[in-house]
Amino acid sequence: MARALRLAERGLYTTTPNPRVGCVIVRDGRVLGEGWHRKAGEPHAEIAALRAAGKAGTDVRGSTVYVSLEPCSHHGRTPPCANALIDAGVARVVAAMRDPNPQVAGRGIELLTLAGIQAQVGLLEAQAQELNLGFVSRMTRGRPWLRLKTAASLDGKTALLNGESKWITGAAARADVHRWRARACAILTGVGTVKADDPRMNVRGMQTDRQPLKVILDSRLATPPGARILDGGALIACAAADPERRATLEAAGAEVLSLPGADGRVDLAGMLAELARRGVNELHAEAGATLNGALLAGGLVDEWLAYFAPLVMGHEARGLFSLPALADMAGRRGFAVHHLARVGDDLRLLLRPVP
């Protein structure tokens, strides 16, 4: 199963909106075939493993199949994998986790069991869940897994008062950010960042078969039509869509989506639900203090990817979050350190909210 999970990781940047899945077929301690799901519309991991065994001229009857996700039982873009395993005559299937997709959700295991195949679930389940946090979130909560990225000095500053911020972190950390962008289905930012920095918000400096969807939170459609982020298209979520502004931005390549919320702002929860409907598993957010604070205050941050550079910028520089002052320590927000690493001269913390 560890090998199946390593194979699944090969689809880290390519499988969206599908989950990352790997499969290994074994008999008598010998690997007969292995495979992984590369991208939507292509064979699932089990089919890839069966084909690999077939190309080697190996009969898989009586074998054990280790797969990182319960075999599917429904017709989507490809036929059901559970049926393919049954037809292949395997004796046992071990899945790391159940498929959270309501169209499967135990039905794959049930089909295998009814066919006389020994089926088990739960081996290295935590590792499998970790690999597909976004898919699980979309299927069970109806929203993507939201990862918030920040880069700051040791005293928590992201820019000088005049807006200058290039560069706080080093080249290694900035390159690392692109790997996190690449694994996401979409990248979210606010109109303030667009106007201040004119970012491209795409993946650069690494090989990728796709670019994530770019999403701009822009209540009043203040995004400049010549903004670089619109190159290649972007989705703008607004609260009030002025017809003239809307037409101008659509002509510049944007899709404008009206999602009015409270106080003239965009409905953040509604935006996440819409992104989930569009197949977004992981949402990577890079924004300023206002949007960062709104996401955190709304309880929408699932993971905080925080880079800290070994420098100090002073109390008058801009901070990470715009949040109301606390009356007492009971209102503080806690995070647990999930992972800590050094990236070049900087520190990278992967943090998750404490319930």
Side-chain angles (χ1 to χ4, degrees), residues 265-286:
R265 300 177 180 177
V266 175
D267 178 2
L268 294 177
M271 177 196 67
L272 294 181
E274 172 61 21
L275 292 178
R277 189 187 68 79
R278 296 179 181 222
V280 173
N281 293 331
E282 293 184 19
L283 177 61
H284 177 98
E286 292 188 30

Side-chain angles (χ1 to χ4, degrees), residues 38-105:
R38 297 173 186 269
K39 63 173 62 175
E42 294 192 5
H44 288 186
E46 300 94 321
I47 305 304
L50 288 170
R51 289 180 179 177
K55 287 182 179 179
T58 304
D59 186 349
V60 300
R61 284 178 293 182
S63 63
T64 296
V65 176
Y66 293 90
V67 61
S68 59
L69 183 71
E70 174 187 1
C72 63
S73 58
H74 67 292
H75 281 271
R77 297 185 186 183
T78 57
C81 293
N83 290 353
L85 294 174
I86 293 169
D87 293 341
V90 305
R92 181 176 174 231
V93 174
V94 182
M97 60 177 282
R98 290 189 182 274
D99 192 334
N101 186 341
Q103 293 180 295
V104 184

Side-chain angles (χ1 to χ4, degrees), residues 136-198:
V136 173
S137 176
R138 180 165 68 88
M139 290 296 163
T140 61
R141 302 190 301 172
R143 73 180 222 202
W145 178 267
L146 195 155
R147 181 179 299 111
L148 176 64
K149 172 263 173 182
T150 63
S153 59
L154 289 179
D155 54 344
K157 304 303 180 181
T158 63
L160 301 180
L161 279 182
N162 63 9
E164 184 180 350
S165 61
K166 295 181 179 179
W167 294 104
I168 294 175
T169 53
R174 297 197 300 274
D176 190 62
V177 169
H178 284 274
R179 289 188 283 273
W180 287 93
R181 285 183 180 181
R183 67 174 284 169
C185 309
I187 299 173
L188 171 68
T189 194
V191 65
T193 298
V194 172
K195 293 173 72 175
D197 300 336
D198 194 20

Side-chain angles (χ1 to χ4, degrees), residues 232-246:
L235 174 66
I236 302 179
C238 68
D242 175 79
E244 185 175 344
R245 290 289 302 166
R246 180 179 194 134

